Amino acid sequence: MDNIWQTKPPHAVEIVHYDAGLKRHMVGIYRIMALGLVVTGAVAFGVAHTPALAAAIFGTPLKWVAMLAPLAFVMFFSFRIERMTTNGARAAFYGFSALMGVSLASLFLVFTGISIAQTFLIAAAMFAAISLWGYTTNRDISSWGSFLMMGVIGVVVASLVNIFLGSTTLHLIISLVGVAVFVGLTAWDTQRAKSEYLAFAGTQAAEKLQVMSALGLYLNLINLVQLLLTFTGQQRD
C-alpha cells in the first residue's frame, strides 16, 4: 500500500521531466545570450577606448562595413546553421557578438558611458519583464510573428533611408515603433523557444535551436538599447 501511494502516475513523471528539461533549455539560451552580451560589451568598450583603432574604423569608409556586416552575418548564419555542428554554431554566435561589438563601439563615441549603462539597465529590465510574460502566458502569440517581422523590415528600411535624410522627427518615430516591435519580438521569441523544445527535446536540433533562440533574444535586447538611447542617451560634449 505504501508503494502505491508513493509512486507517481506516468503522466506526472513526464511532466516533471518536461519541466526540468525545459528549465535547462531556457537557462542554456539565456546563458549563451549573456556570454554574447559580455563579448559585445568588451569589444565595443575596447575599440572605443583605443583611439587609433576607432579612428581607423569610424573615420574611414570602413564604418559602413562595421555597420552593415552584422546584418550580413545574421543572414549567413541563419542559412548555414543546419550544416553546422552545435559547437560550431556557438562559436559562430560568439564571433558575431564580437563583430557586433565593433559596430556598437560607435555608441561610446556619441554617448556618455553612464547614459549607455543606464539605458542598458532600463532595456534589460524591460526585456526581462516581457520575456517572463512570454514564458508564462497561456495565450498563443505565434500569430504575431509575421506582423512583427514586417515591423522589423519597416524599421530597418526607414533607418537606412533616414541615414541620408537626417530627419530628427523620422528618427523619433522609428525609435518609438522599433521599441514596440522588439518588445513584441522578445515575447514571441521566448514563447517560440518553449514550443521548439516541445518539438525537438532530446535531439541535436534542439541544441542548435538553443543557439538560434539566444541569437534572436540577444538581437532584441541590443536593438532595444540602441533605440532607447534616442530618449535616454546623453551625448558627449
Side-chain angles (χ1 to χ4, degrees):
M1 180 66 71
D2 290 340
N3 290 335
I4 292 175
W5 287 108
Q6 292 174 3
T7 301
K8 294 181 179 179
H11 69 278
V13 175
E14 291 176 2
I15 291 173
V16 171
H17 287 169
Y18 163 72
D19 288 343
L22 177 60
K23 180 179 179 180
R24 287 194 299 270
H25 182 73
M26 297 304 296
V27 168
I29 289 173
Y30 292 121
R31 182 188 301 116
I32 294 170
M33 173 190 166
L35 288 173
L37 289 170
V38 170
V39 171
T40 297
V43 172
F45 185 85
V47 171
H49 289 80
T50 307
L53 185 56
I57 296 174
F58 299 106
T60 69
L62 279 176
K63 66 181 180 182
W64 297 107
V65 176
M67 291 172 60
L68 299 177
L71 179 60
F73 193 101
V74 168
M75 296 176 64
F76 171 81
F77 187 64
S78 299
F79 285 114
R80 292 285 299 179
I81 189 169
E82 291 184 1
R83 302 180 185 179
M84 296 179 180
T85 64
T86 302
N87 289 335
R90 289 196 188 99
F93 171 71
Y94 296 132
F96 166 75
S97 300
L99 184 62
M100 182 63 82
V102 175
S103 179
L104 295 181
S106 60
L107 296 179
F108 286 92
L109 303 178
V110 177
F111 300 100
T112 64
I114 292 177
S115 67
I116 291 175
Q118 291 174 339
T119 302
F120 178 82
L121 291 175
I122 294 171
M126 292 175 60
F127 174 91
I130 196 63
S131 187
L132 179 61
W133 180 83
Y135 181 81
T136 57
T137 185
N138 292 321
R139 179 180 178 182
D140 181 7
I141 59 174
S142 58
S143 60
W144 292 11
S146 57
F147 176 76
L148 291 169
M149 290 303 172
M150 290 176 60
V152 171
I153 293 172
V155 169
V156 171
V157 171
S159 297
L160 291 175
V161 170
N162 202 41
I163 289 176
F164 303 98
L165 295 180
S167 170
T168 302
T169 301
L170 180 58
H171 180 64
L172 288 172
I173 294 173
I174 292 170
S175 298
L176 285 170
V177 173
V179 168
V181 166
F182 286 106
V183 163
L185 271 175
T186 297
W188 183 76
D189 280 331
T190 303
Q191 189 175 91
R192 184 178 65 168
K194 287 181 64 177
S195 300
E196 288 174 345
Y197 176 79
L198 281 174
F200 298 98
T203 67
Q204 186 177 11
E207 296 181 355
K208 290 185 182 180
L209 287 170
Q210 194 177 59
V211 179
M212 284 300 296
S213 295
L215 174 62
L217 292 171
Y218 164 95
L219 288 172
N220 293 340
L221 180 53
I222 288 293
N223 280 292
L224 280 174
V225 172
Q226 293 184 85
L227 292 165
L228 287 173
L229 278 170
T230 300
F231 309 103
T232 62
Q234 180 178 355
Q235 295 193 4
R236 294 182 177 276
D237 296 333

